[in-house]
Amino acid sequence: MNEVSTLVVSRPDRSLTTTDRVARGLGWFSIGLGLAEIVAPGRLAKALGLEGHERLLQAFGAREIASGVGALSVDPAPAIWSRVGGDLLDLGTLAVGLRRGDEQQRRNAGMAIAAVAGIAVVDVLTAASLTREVSEDRGEQRDYSDRSGFPGGVAAARGAATRDFETPSDMRSDPAPARSLATA
């Protein structure tokens, strides 16, 4: 039985699914990161070799907070997908830091790229899981019409393997050794 997101269907009698918990964790993480980007853009820009892009970092911070609030909402899937888009923007911006700055700043930008890439994977998996839960909750079912199943029916399938299959000689049991031992 699949877990059903309580955030999507608002069923207070069920506990949160693992995906719900991850989405909420991403929401709080996003809000914290967004606050850091808004409050200390100069420090972040200096550490990552992005001096002169402080306003951009603050705009990214506002985006992170909006995504975080959305991730804590009743339907977090759109907000988590928006985080995926934001991750791509972050990776592109951090790539600028790799080309600029001193050795320490490039190292910091490289570590930040690795962290964002890891979070992006979590974002994609969470967003896909939430989207699947929503579609299942709406009663959308998978289409199996292209599968044959038992084209001749179940009755025709019974015993078909014994009629059409010949046991290879190396898989047959040979009663001859037992007879030779008995006669010896």
Side-chain angles (χ1 to χ4, degrees):
M1 179 176 215
N2 293 334
E3 294 177 286
V4 176
S5 171
T6 57
L7 294 174
V8 173
V9 295
S10 300
R11 293 184 200 162
D13 59 326
R14 290 190 165 193
S15 62
L16 294 176
T17 65
T18 301
T19 306
D20 293 335
R21 288 188 198 100
V22 172
R24 287 185 179 208
L26 288 171
W28 287 113
F29 172 76
S30 190
I31 289 170
L33 180 61
L35 288 174
E37 289 175 326
I38 288 175
V39 171
R43 285 184 178 180
L44 287 172
K46 185 176 181 181
L48 299 171
L50 296 171
E51 289 96 346
H53 292 81
E54 289 81 5
R55 290 276 189 212
L56 180 64
L57 290 177
Q58 287 181 317
F60 283 5
R63 181 204 72 218
E64 287 283 352
I65 291 173
S67 293
V69 169
L72 298 174
S73 71
V74 174
D75 184 8
I80 300 298
W81 281 117
S82 76
R83 281 187 46 82
V84 173
D87 292 338
L88 295 175
L89 287 174
D90 291 345
L91 289 171
T93 304
L94 289 168
V96 172
L98 281 178
R99 293 185 310 181
R100 299 172 45 181
D102 60 24
E103 184 177 332
Q104 181 62 42
Q105 289 173 325
R106 286 193 300 270
R107 188 176 315 130
N108 290 342
M111 288 189 299
I113 285 173
V116 170
I119 292 293
V121 170
V122 174
D123 285 341
V124 167
L125 294 174
T126 303
S129 180
L130 288 168
T131 300
R132 188 187 75 246
E133 287 178 1
V134 169
S135 67
E136 288 175 358
D137 188 52
R138 289 181 184 154
E140 297 171 6
Q141 297 188 5
R142 296 187 177 139
D143 181 17
Y144 297 114
S145 63
D146 60 336
R147 297 186 181 179
S148 62
F150 298 102
V154 175
R158 288 193 180 108
T162 58
R163 287 189 303 266
D164 300 338
F165 182 75
E166 182 176 333
T167 305
S169 61
D170 62 334
M171 293 181 68
R172 293 182 192 152
S173 63
D174 188 13
R179 278 187 236 139
S180 64
L181 288 174
T183 57

